Amino acid sequence: MFYRMFVLLSAVVVCVAEQQSPGPLPPANLRVEYLTNPSGIDIRQPRFSWVLHHTERGQKQQAFQIIVSSERSTATADLWDSGRIESAASTHVPYAGKPLESSRIYYWKVRYWDSNGVASSYSRIARFTTGLFSPSDWKGKWITGANQLRKEFTLDAKPARALAHISGLGYYELRINGRKVGDHVLDPGWTTYDKRVLYVTYDVTHYLQAGANAIAVTLGRGWFGSRMLLLQLNIELEGGNRLEVVSDTTWKVQPGPIVSDSIYDGETYDARLETSGWDRPGFQDQDWKWASVANAPGGVLSAQLMPPIRVNDTIVPLKLTVPRPGVYVYDMGQNFAGWVRLRVKGSRGTKVRIRHAELVYDDGMLNTENLRAAKATDVYILRGDGEEEIYEPHFTYHGFRYVELTGYPGTPRLDTITGRVVHSSVRPSGNFAASKPILNQIQRLVFWGIRSNLHSVPTDCDQRDERMGWMADAHLYSENAILNFDMAAFYTNFLRNIADIQGSDGSLTDTVPHKYGRRPADPAWGSAYPLILWYMYEYYGDRRLLEQHYTGIKAWADFLRRRAPDGIVDYSYYGDWVPIEKTPGSLVSTLYYYWSVDITRRVAEILGKNAEADQYKRLEESIQAAFHQKFYNPQTGTYANGSQTANLLPLYLDVAPKEVRGRLMSALVDNIVYTNNTHLTTGILGAKYILPLLTRERRADLAYELATQTTYPSWGYMVGNGATTLWELWQNKTGPSMNSHNHPMFGSIGAWFYNALAGINPDPRGPGFARIRMQPQMVRDLNWASGTVQTMYGAVTCSWNRDRDRFRIEVAIPLGAEVEVYVPAGERSIQESGKTVWADGKFQPGASGIMSAHKAGEAVVFTVGSGRYVFTAGE
Ligand code: BGC
């Protein structure tokens, strides 16, 4: 029976395999400026990327052809026919056709030729919409007057094409003819409004109709603090006539049901003030006021070219308790950012209060002490028309695990509320799992910590009266954000936000946009600028960003140089923040100064600015010498006070001279193992680099022990104490002090999971994962680990398992990438998909896709091209 099923199954498999003719498959996952079918491209030479697939291993793209057309069918290449271009590039290929026009829809496709010269068929057709390239494309005015704004107009014919470009500050919600346009919330993204304002483009063709139409916009205060709207609707009718509808003083305004809205405090919504039908044509708005012209916010208008904030998930509560009569407390089972959706039925004017908190007291009541001044309270006042009412706030968000309902008419049930998980809708792009449960639990904390804190800028926390783009937090968790989510467009935007706040003296600010903290930024905070720029290059291969921001990071490095006349930076505010053992601030500041100069030098080299590169190289050397001179203690063989961070940072950055490294490393290891019984004493900065450093220095075993530690202080201690997101402090505190329970800055360990345990590392010789070093660490009691990362070239996977001295490593590599796989074989022979590829200490060529192999220490390093490879030994 089983045998027959097996035969049957294999026949099906063979059949499916045979249907796919061998050779190149059509390119997939077409993207423009990192985005799938984006709306509002305002870059004149946008860059195209695609992912290649082939039925054979080790294949390459030899040439490609792109067609860009104004026709949906792409029948004519009226904008661009690239012709056959001899190039292996499948990422960041700049548009080079006729000038793109504002407010248009364009279609494109691509095909490629493989190494054998065989052409693929064309990809499916993708599209992009342009925004407004020039300020004069905007015909409307910024208008204001109330929360709700509306306008009616008539169309003589059906629209063939209609694009709406909108910016509504602080936040807007756009409706046309009774329907909400798009699914963005808390839009547009937060910027330094007097420098830049983001607008969003929607294709609204299908929202409009021949005859009467109505546009309705609701505004919230958001980070901007007041309300104003700019709208440009460009319509092309069937038959070719064009017209535009813009924001001006012919719009009508009215306060509406949102009585108050504040990001920190919450929203009060009085459903009795709803004016049903106001977003449809024919609504009687005679008693509404006229809109007035507002003072423009001042910044340039830029397209929002990043994933918008959306409701990304829904969570069902775990538990409902009633700690006091009439007080209903829900445990959502997960700390997250967003709000709840409330279902309620009751009499008109009933007031339901929804409070949010991360913690509860022993008696089950909400503990909001650590929210500081943030009220985090939404109030819903019922319409009371006998129907069930459903409410979600519009212009606020909260960070919470617990929800308290009071004033609820009747008895609420578990399904009275559902959690709505709200954040920038960056696509999850990574996966990590391993045989040791604590690692998976930490990975979960990291994942939720990141997603709770992407709110158009990377924030420090999501719950208290803060939620700022604190720059150190931002760079510390950016690598693990990149490995878990597609962050390319998000950080492209954030880098521009950073550039916007840079002073003419090169100074930066602690938070971006700048609201909290100081100018100039603490050096370890401001260095987010060069660091995130560099990560964008390493992980996404973005050279254009290097060109755009070179002068910016150079100005920052030069700013620090002026603050370090003798090579030592003369200021620091935070040092290695929230540590167990302190590290002198000037040591930390000087190392980040060194790092900023080092990245500036590397970027100068890449951009061919050799004289400047030389100059920064010399500066680097002089900082290095000054640093060593100032902080090294030859008696103890350590830096400064010998704290873990004081010793590990100079090692990690290769600032410590060769001759002291050995002794320094033993001092560090002794400190971890003996002085602290295998625990960290670092703050957020040291915590990021300690695990990669130990791994690089062949102490992955110790890194693993720290990562799986469960007693205080450790990540495992947070897990053991019920954390569902990462804490701000190693300590478990619940009082009114600074102790958020959702702070992603300690989440840097997440990058180490991918880099060390799953072994997936970008190789600087081929930025953007064009080259990859696959070096999984098979440490201690870890029996298997598995990671996948979606790169610009496609999915990269490394999964391994072992049993005594037998092991198996399976890797999958996308076309366009080249990988060095480290197979820890000792003296044994190695098979790949059953064929011997290494025996008697030598490479046995013959397997397709494997280019070469050499021995490096205990490992054999295979260089392989695209495809799936399974290496085994001892089986
Ligand atoms: C923030 C941090 C930030 C720090 C700097 C705190 O209030 O929450 O995460 O980096 O301030 O001092």
Side-chain angles (χ1 to χ4, degrees):
M1 173 67 185
F2 276 110
Y3 177 70
R4 269 169 58 197
M5 248 172 70
F6 175 72
V7 170
L8 203 75
L9 264 174
S10 355
V12 172
V13 170
V14 167
C15 222
V16 171
E18 266 175 9
Q19 271 173 7
Q20 195 168 70
S21 56
L25 304 173
N29 194 11
L30 273 62
R31 295 192 293 166
V32 182
E33 291 299 331
Y34 297 117
L35 301 166
T36 305
N37 297 329
S39 262
I41 294 285
D42 63 350
I43 297 166
R44 289 178 195 274
Q45 269 88 41
R47 296 164 302 172
F48 298 111
S49 301
W50 54 92
V51 169
L52 300 163
H53 294 287
H54 203 288
T55 57
E56 276 168 30
R57 301 206 298 200
Q59 271 286 344
K60 286 206 167 104
Q61 170 184 288
Q62 191 182 101
F64 68 82
Q65 181 174 17
I66 296 177
I67 303 288
V68 181
S69 169
S70 61
E71 280 177 64
R72 188 185 291 270
S73 66
T74 65
T76 49
D78 54 343
L79 272 299
W80 190 31
D81 178 350
S82 72
R84 177 181 160 128
I85 294 189
E86 300 304 312
S87 164
S90 57
T91 64
H92 303 307
V93 173
Y95 174 77
K98 287 192 194 141
L100 298 171
E101 287 176 38
S102 288
S103 206
R104 287 308 185 106
I105 304 173
Y106 294 111
Y107 301 89
W108 71 289
K109 61 186 180 186
V110 58
R111 64 173 170 162
Y112 83 104
W113 284 265
D114 69 8
S115 319
N116 307 327
V118 178
S120 74
S121 46
Y122 272 108
S123 65
R124 290 165 73 162
I125 296 166
R127 61 180 247 170
F128 63 97
T129 302
T130 49
L132 300 175
F133 287 111
S134 112
S136 62
D137 291 329
W138 291 93
K139 301 285 157 45
K141 297 198 161 56
W142 284 96
I143 57 169
T144 187
N147 307 1
Q148 292 189 324
L149 304 89
R150 73 183 304 274
K151 164 87 188 169
E152 288 196 27
F153 58 94
T154 311
L155 297 180
D156 298 339
K158 243 182 108 183
R161 239 189 306 275
L163 294 180
H165 309 279
I166 179 171
S167 185
L169 297 180
Y171 295 135
Y172 72 89
E173 197 182 286
L174 170 65
R175 306 179 70 82
I176 295 182
N177 294 335
R179 281 159 63 204
K180 175 169 154 84
V181 177
D183 57 358
H184 304 191
V185 296
L186 308 179
D187 211 35
W190 182 13
T191 51
T192 305
Y193 299 104
D194 58 1
K195 280 281 164 57
R196 188 178 309 278
V197 175
L198 299 181
Y199 69 89
V200 176
T201 297
Y202 296 102
D203 182 346
V204 294
T205 315
H206 301 293
Y207 287 82
L208 297 172
Q209 60 199 19
N213 291 273
I215 315 182
V217 177
T218 308
L219 298 175
R221 292 168 54 230
W223 293 112
F224 184 64
S226 60
R227 305 170 217 269
M228 57 180 70
L229 168 72
L230 181 66
L231 180 134
Q232 172 82 32
L233 172 56
N234 294 330
I235 307 169
E236 191 184 322
L237 297 177
E238 280 183 353
N241 277 351
R242 289 189 185 193
L243 73 152
E244 50 192 33
V245 176
V246 302
S247 49
D248 59 20
T249 50
T250 66
W251 286 55
K252 290 297 217 40
V253 299
Q254 210 255 152
I258 297 178
V259 178
S260 68
D261 63 288
S262 142
I263 292 177
Y264 294 152
D265 293 340
E267 182 176 288
T268 297
Y269 187 96
D270 188 343
R272 295 171 302 183
L273 302 176
E274 283 175 349
T275 42
S276 133
W278 75 288
D279 53 357
R280 292 175 197 277
F283 176 78
Q284 300 302 310
D285 63 9
Q286 296 87 332
D287 52 349
W288 287 36
K289 293 209 185 93
W290 297 103
S292 52
V293 173
N295 282 334
V300 296
L301 285 155
S302 291
Q304 174 168 289
L305 295 181
M306 65 171 163
I309 300 177
R310 287 189 171 105
V311 175
N312 290 287
D313 245 322
T314 293
I315 294 189
V316 178
L318 211 59
K319 206 165 85 191
L320 168 58
T321 52
V322 192
R324 282 185 202 163
V327 179
Y328 299 92
V329 174
Y330 290 82
D331 178 359
M332 305 304 292
Q334 174 65 52
N335 196 332
F336 67 98
W339 53 71
V340 298
R341 169 198 266 175
L342 171 76
R343 297 169 52 189
V344 60
K345 200 163 153 179
S347 55
R348 189 171 175 82
T350 308
K351 222 185 225 183
V352 180
R353 219 158 64 116
I354 315 167
R355 290 169 68 227
H356 306 77
E358 295 192 295
L359 305 163
V360 283
Y361 294 111
D362 290 344
D363 65 0
M365 292 293 283
L366 251 51
N367 173 351
T368 57
E369 292 180 39
N370 72 345
L371 304 186
R372 302 194 305 216
K375 296 203 180 77
T377 304
D378 296 330
V379 175
Y380 181 71
I381 303 169
L382 272 72
R383 196 164 49 230
D385 53 10
E387 301 281 312
E388 180 176 82
E389 300 177 37
I390 294 180
Y391 168 68
E392 292 187 40
H394 306 77
F395 301 125
T396 186
Y397 76 97
H398 315 290
F400 63 104
R401 171 174 170 176
Y402 299 95
V403 179
E404 178 201 87
L405 280 192
T406 48
Y408 193 86
T411 310
R413 303 182 332 189
L414 200 59
D415 65 356
T416 293
I417 63 164
T418 38
R420 307 280 273 163
V421 181
V422 179
H423 54 83
S424 291
S425 49
V426 292
R427 210 173 349 193
S429 65
N431 251 309
F432 169 80
S435 59
K436 184 97 171 167
I438 189 76
L439 297 173
N440 302 327
Q441 288 163 322
I442 297 170
Q443 163 67 12
R444 200 184 142 81
L445 264 52
V446 170
F447 183 82
W448 278 95
I450 299 167
R451 70 191 304 221
S452 307
N453 282 286
L454 303 176
H455 279 265
S456 82
V457 306
T459 59
D460 61 330
C461 61
D462 63 348
Q463 72 296 81
R464 68 180 178 217
D465 52 356
E466 196 150 357
R467 314 186 206 178
M468 294 287 135
W470 279 98
M471 294 265 272
D473 310 44
H475 72 74
L476 291 170
Y477 73 85
S478 57
E479 275 189 287
N480 58 314
I482 287 171
L483 289 160
N484 284 293
F485 295 93
D486 178 356
M487 297 299 297
F490 184 94
Y491 284 137
T492 300
N493 180 77
F494 189 58
L495 285 168
R496 189 169 65 179
N497 281 356
I498 298 176
D500 283 345
I501 56 85
Q502 189 163 38
S504 52
D505 59 351
S507 67
L508 296 167
T509 52
D510 280 338
T511 58
V512 170
H514 187 208
K515 236 179 153 72
Y516 274 43
R518 303 204 221 173
R519 175 191 295 276
D522 182 290
W525 271 242
S527 297
Y529 193 10
L531 279 163
I532 295 177
L533 179 65
W534 188 254
Y535 296 140
M536 281 298 299
Y537 183 66
E538 260 192 310
Y539 286 93
Y540 300 108
D542 200 320
R543 192 190 151 101
R544 184 184 279 183
L545 281 177
L546 299 188
E547 289 162 4
Q548 285 169 349
H549 292 284
Y550 175 66
T551 46
I553 60 163
K554 190 161 113 82
W556 166 245
D558 291 343
F559 171 82
L560 291 177
R561 180 171 49 82
R562 291 193 299 276
R563 295 297 304 258
D566 53 0
I568 305 299
V569 177
D570 65 1
Y571 78 106
S572 159
Y573 317 135
Y574 316 118
D576 187 15
W577 185 240
V578 293
I580 308 282
E581 188 187 4
K582 280 203 159 148
T583 299
S586 59
L587 176 146
V588 173
S589 289
T590 301
L591 288 173
Y592 276 88
Y593 163 41
Y594 169 86
W595 206 343
S596 296
V597 172
D598 180 62
I599 293 174
T600 307
R601 188 259 309 157
R602 279 186 263 168
V603 175
E605 275 169 15
I606 293 163
L607 300 180
K609 298 178 189 297
N610 298 334
E612 291 182 8
D614 286 349
Q615 190 189 321
Y616 286 107
K617 179 85 207 151
R618 282 195 298 278
L619 180 56
E620 247 176 87
E621 285 161 4
S622 71
I623 303 168
Q624 202 168 347
F627 176 87
H628 190 66
Q629 168 77 28
K630 164 100 184 168
F631 295 107
Y632 189 67
N633 178 343
Q635 264 82 54
T636 55
T638 60
Y639 284 98
N641 60 344
S643 72
Q644 291 177 3
T645 297
N647 288 338
L648 75 90
L649 277 180
L651 280 166
Y652 180 78
L653 290 171
D654 288 327
V655 167
K658 273 211 177 59
E659 58 280 10
V660 307
R661 293 182 68 93
R663 203 173 152 208
L664 194 56
M665 192 60 203
S666 345
L668 174 63
V669 169
D670 284 356
N671 180 295
I672 295 171
V673 178
Y674 303 115
T675 317
N676 290 292
N677 194 18
T678 312
H679 288 89
L680 291 178
T681 59
T682 70
I684 52 173
L685 303 177
K688 167 145 173 73
Y689 312 108
I690 182 71
L691 305 181
L693 171 72
L694 290 171
T695 307
R696 194 179 79 188
E697 302 293 326
R698 302 170 140 262
R699 288 308 308 269
D701 58 325
L702 182 55
Y704 178 76
E705 285 187 21
L706 288 170
T708 53
Q709 180 60 269
T710 52
T711 51
Y712 170 82
S714 66
W715 290 276
Y717 176 74
M718 297 185 195
V719 172
N721 280 277
T724 59
T725 42
L726 296 158
W727 301 338
E728 177 173 22
L729 306 174
W730 291 120
Q731 296 84 354
N732 186 9
K733 289 195 180 166
T734 55
S737 60
M738 196 193 79
N739 59 28
S740 124
H741 283 237
N742 195 348
H743 236 71
M745 62 196 186
F746 274 120
S748 46
I749 185 174
W752 182 78
F753 291 164
Y754 284 90
N755 295 152
L757 301 183
I760 303 169
N761 295 275
D763 180 334
R765 290 172 298 175
F769 284 107
R771 292 189 73 152
I772 301 165
R773 180 169 53 85
M774 209 92 97
Q775 192 172 9
Q777 304 291 334
M778 304 183 179
V779 275
R780 299 273 191 217
D781 60 349
L782 197 63
N783 294 325
W784 61 266
S786 175
T788 298
V789 178
Q790 296 289 339
T791 71
M792 292 295 287
Y793 296 97
V796 174
T797 298
C798 180
S799 298
W800 61 266
N801 59 64
R802 60 175 178 164
D803 177 15
R804 294 206 184 84
D805 60 343
R806 297 187 307 186
F807 68 82
R808 181 176 189 278
I809 305 179
E810 181 174 341
V811 302
I813 292 137
L815 208 149
E818 201 173 290
V819 179
E820 285 183 351
V821 189
Y822 284 67
V823 181
E827 293 310 314
R828 286 167 300 169
S829 73
I830 301 171
Q831 284 74 42
E832 190 284 309
S833 301
K835 194 165 176 169
T836 300
V837 288
W838 182 270
D840 305 325
K842 276 205 304 282
F843 179 38
Q844 315 284 320
S848 78
I850 303 184
M851 297 164 216
S852 64
H854 68 271
K855 194 102 206 272
E858 282 292 281
V860 178
V861 184
F862 291 92
T863 303
V864 306
S866 63
R868 183 174 157 272
Y869 302 84
V870 182
F871 295 96
T872 52
E875 281 190 351

